[in-house]
């Protein structure tokens, strides 16, 4: 479904990604891990079109998407959450999710239709279990609720692939469980393909079926969690972290 083909991303003289290749099968749940600064979010930025790769190509359903704009890539069926939640603070909780429904794919609202977008938003707020007043502003939300909002907005685009960037970061134990259950539900009930960047390894390793590991922008391992967690290069990369 997704093919990362020799992707390099340079920032000045630094290669945040260096000749990275991997593929993601339809319906799979893949962890993308690596120490801080190893290029995980950069990979999501390249896939989602925030910026083009310096070299290499990205294919989605056999169509090249590298170089396409983020809105076009979202429309084709790739959604992302942001490592630092990015609610639009002047819009209500529901309106933030309505944006996803309006700009997404498939049965979601194509032309702006406030009532349908609202119905969609309510459905996704329920899906993620966000219990707060949908008409409130996101200014005072807890970390857990912000993550749920972030996921609801991405899911409201009805993506084929969800790129989830550290959805557990900053959460307490209960919130952590809830957030990881949302990903599992998206996978099991919606058949979504998920690539999940996460530092909370004991949760990630239990849920994903495959792990791709980056270190200094280089792919150093790609395999089943049990294999990868024993890989000497991977252990070294994490132990070498400051
Ligand atoms: N827009 C940018 N401009 C310049 N350098 C950048 C930019 N985005 C990322 N980098 C650099 O690229 C490298 C990879 O960063 P990236 O954010 O992809 O890492 P990461 O694996 O997501 O790390 P973390 O686990 O801390 O979120 C880092 O050295 C970072 O400073
Ligand atoms: Mg990151």
């Amino acid at each position: 479904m997704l093919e990362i083909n020799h992707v390099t991303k340079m920032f000045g003289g630094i290669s945040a990604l260096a000749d990275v290749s991997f593929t993601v099968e339809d319906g799979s749940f893949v962890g993308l891990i690596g120490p801080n600064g190893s290029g995980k979010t950069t990979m999501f930025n390249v896939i989602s079109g925030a910026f083009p790769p310096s070299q290499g190509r990205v294919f989605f359903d056999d169509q090249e998407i590298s170089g396409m704009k983020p809105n076009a890539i979202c429309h084709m069926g790739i959604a992302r959450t942001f490592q630092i939640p990015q609610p639009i603070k002047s819009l209500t909780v529901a309106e933030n999710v309505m944006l996803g429904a309006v700009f997404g794919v498939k049965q979601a609202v194509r032309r702006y239709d406030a009532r349908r977008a609202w119905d969609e938003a309510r459905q996704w707020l329920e899906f993620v279990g966000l219990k707060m007043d949908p008409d409130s502003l996101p200014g005072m939300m807890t970390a857990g609720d912000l993550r749920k909002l972030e996921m609801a907005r991405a899911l409201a685009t009805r993506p084929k692939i969800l790129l989830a960037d550290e959805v557990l970061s900053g959460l307490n134990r209960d919130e952590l469980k809830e957030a990881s259950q949302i990903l599992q539900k998206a996978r099991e009930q919606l058949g979504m393909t998920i690539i999940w960047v996460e530092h909370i390894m004991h949760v990630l390793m239990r849920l994903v079926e495959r792990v791709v590991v980056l270190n200094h922008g280089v792919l150093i391992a790609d395999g089943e969690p049990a294999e990868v967690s024993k890989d000497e290069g991977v252990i070294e990369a994490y132990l070498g972290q400051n």
Side-chain angles (χ1 to χ4, degrees), residues 17-223:
L17 295 171
D19 196 22
V20 176
S21 296
F22 64 95
T23 56
V24 174
E25 301 299 319
D26 190 1
S28 59
F29 194 178
V30 177
L32 177 60
I33 66 169
N36 292 113
S38 57
K40 306 178 297 294
T41 298
T42 301
M43 180 53 80
F44 278 3
N45 282 331
V46 167
I47 297 169
S48 63
F51 37 64
S54 309
Q55 282 167 45
R57 303 165 84 183
V58 181
F59 296 88
F60 173 48
D61 274 346
D62 294 327
Q63 191 180 329
E64 183 168 9
I65 58 165
S66 27
M68 283 172 56
K69 294 228 158 65
N71 56 323
I73 292 174
C74 172
H75 215 93
M76 286 177 68
I78 300 180
R80 61 144 350 144
T81 71
F82 290 91
Q83 182 167 351
I84 298 167
Q86 307 280 342
I88 296 176
K89 294 202 176 85
S90 57
L91 298 181
T92 66
V93 165
E95 285 166 348
N96 267 277
V97 183
M98 286 164 77
L99 279 181
V102 171
F103 288 108
V105 284
K106 280 187 170 171
Q107 302 96 331
V109 184
R110 289 272 167 111
R111 262 174 280 156
Y112 183 69
D113 173 339
R115 210 181 59 79
R116 279 197 58 201
W118 171 258
D119 288 344
E120 283 280 323
R122 292 300 291 260
Q123 177 191 326
W124 293 110
L125 288 170
E126 197 181 312
F127 186 90
V128 301
L130 188 57
K131 294 193 179 67
M132 65 187 295
D133 176 7
D135 291 325
S136 59
L137 292 170
M140 301 292 282
M141 292 173 80
T142 63
D145 283 350
L146 271 172
R147 291 284 170 200
K148 287 180 185 166
L149 177 59
E150 193 70 15
M151 285 197 266
R153 188 178 49 191
L155 291 169
T157 70
R158 295 185 181 258
K160 292 186 196 162
I161 302 184
L162 177 68
L163 310 174
D165 199 349
E166 297 201 31
V167 294
L168 305 186
S169 144
L171 304 189
N172 67 33
R173 191 185 289 254
D174 290 340
E175 291 169 334
L176 203 127
K177 201 167 158 196
E178 277 188 281
S180 54
Q181 278 168 350
I182 296 166
L183 293 183
Q184 266 180 299
K185 233 167 72 165
R187 170 106 195 289
E188 286 162 14
Q189 294 179 13
L190 309 173
M192 206 168 278
T193 305
I194 301 175
I195 310 179
W196 183 15
V197 165
E198 192 53 71
H199 281 293
I200 306 193
M201 225 46 84
H202 67 282
V203 184
L204 176 123
M205 289 297 203
R206 208 162 32 79
L207 297 180
V208 299
E209 59 205 10
R210 186 175 143 220
V211 197
V212 174
V213 191
L214 295 175
N215 189 31
H216 298 301
V218 177
L219 189 151
I220 58 165
D222 180 352

